[in-house]
Amino acid sequence: MCHSGIPHLRGLLHSFYNCEYALFFRELLSIEPYIAEDRYCSAQLGYFLREFTLRAYNQYLEPYKSVLMLTMAESFGITVDMLDVQISKAIASGRLAAKIDKVGGVIQNSLKHDKKNIQYTDVITKGDAVLNQIQKLARTLDM
């Protein structure tokens, strides 16, 4: 599938890069028929749309600790209910590290927290491995 054969692909990529999410969604809907017509990609159309959408949601949420659902919905040009359904599915499937506060109308991003936990666990694991090697080396030298 060549990008010159899909008129809105350039706009899709530029809108994603420039964080113009409402335009990104419009461009995504514009390229949907071209993907559906492609005999190799048509079977994966739902997957492509979900992945593009999920990447955009992740990109939007990444710099924030929390975001108002109304603000995010307006940025994407969709309703709060539609955003709630999509974000809930992504959280439930483990694809989005966030929590929804339905009462406050807030999405709390826990991605940064998860990255720190992963780094912390990695450092502890590697540190334990180094200490074990040092202890084995010390035992070998004592014999």
Side-chain angles (χ1 to χ4, degrees), residues 103-124:
V103 175
V106 174
I107 299 173
Q108 297 174 345
N109 184 7
S110 55
L111 183 62
K112 289 181 183 178
H113 181 68
D114 287 346
K115 283 182 181 177
K116 286 184 181 180
N117 280 342
I118 291 169
Q119 287 175 344
Y120 175 77
T121 305
D122 188 44
V123 167
I124 295 297

Side-chain angles (χ1 to χ4, degrees), residues 20-142:
E20 298 167 346
Y21 300 108
L23 178 60
F24 172 78
F25 267 28
R26 285 193 303 273
E27 296 289 356
L28 186 59
L29 291 175
S30 297
I31 68 163
E32 181 181 358
Y34 297 99
I35 297 172
E37 290 174 2
D38 187 279
R39 70 181 197 188
Y40 300 110
C41 296
S42 61
Q44 305 302 324
L45 178 61
Y47 173 78
F48 288 143
L49 296 177
R50 273 192 311 277
E51 288 301 309
F52 277 123
T53 303
L54 187 60
R55 298 285 172 136
Y57 289 155
N58 273 318
Q59 180 175 308
Y60 185 89
L61 290 171
E62 188 175 0
Y64 302 109
K65 186 173 183 177
S66 64
V67 175
L68 288 174
M69 290 180 73
L70 179 62
T71 305
M72 187 171 175
E74 287 174 352
S75 295
F76 281 90
I78 59 176
T79 65
V80 173
D81 292 333
M82 184 177 175
L83 178 70
D84 182 35
V85 168
Q86 291 181 348
I87 294 288
S88 297
K89 286 180 183 178
I91 292 170
S93 67
R95 302 290 315 274
L96 188 63
K99 296 176 188 172
I100 297 177
D101 176 6
K102 190 76 169 167
V103 175
V106 174
I107 299 173
Q108 297 174 345
N109 184 7
S110 55
L111 183 62
K112 289 181 183 178
H113 181 68
D114 287 346
K115 283 182 181 177
K116 286 184 181 180
N117 280 342
I118 291 169
Q119 287 175 344
Y120 175 77
T121 305
D122 188 44
V123 167
I124 295 297
T125 305
K126 288 180 180 176
D128 283 342
V130 169
L131 286 175
N132 288 338
Q133 289 177 347
I134 290 172
Q135 288 173 350
K136 285 180 185 178
L137 184 60
R139 279 187 237 128
T140 307
L141 292 176
D142 286 342

